Amino acid sequence: MVDFWTDWCPPCKMIAPILEEIAAEYRDRLVVAKINGDDHPEIVRRYGVMGFPTLGLFRDGEMVHRIVGAKPKRRLLADLDGLF
């Protein structure tokens, strides 16, 4: 899963510790990576990211699921249920 974020985004800062928890708890099934949208605008454009934070779940190099906005941990896990 890729977390598209920016330094100036308060919801990005709110969701960061939640993503760290998810990465630790599901490390055997899920890798969480981060891409700063300000530092890599070409990647943001390539994947059609329109707002931050955006979480992209990738399988075999293709984005298969997208979550836009910060959500509580239980809602994130519910949105990801069965996808990884």
Side-chain angles (χ1 to χ4, degrees):
M1 181 166 59
V2 176
D3 172 21
F4 294 92
W5 67 284
T6 64
D7 287 325
W8 49 263
C9 167
C12 297
K13 293 176 184 178
M14 290 172 38
I15 200 172
I18 295 168
L19 295 176
E20 289 177 18
E21 287 178 19
I22 291 172
E25 291 171 14
Y26 295 91
R27 69 180 159 268
D28 58 330
R29 299 187 298 166
L30 180 71
V31 173
V32 177
K34 298 176 76 64
I35 294 180
N36 184 318
D38 289 333
D39 293 342
H40 302 284
E42 69 285 352
I43 296 172
V44 169
R45 280 192 301 276
R46 181 181 323 150
Y47 291 104
V49 173
M50 302 297 285
F52 299 101
T54 292
L55 305 175
L57 188 65
F58 286 78
R59 185 174 295 124
D60 298 323
E62 297 293 323
M63 189 184 298
V64 297
H65 189 72
R66 176 188 310 249
I67 299 170
V68 179
K71 297 182 180 187
K73 182 179 177 180
R74 64 179 168 71
R75 294 241 352 252
L76 282 176
L77 290 174
D79 286 352
L80 294 170
D81 188 41
L83 295 173
F84 67 92

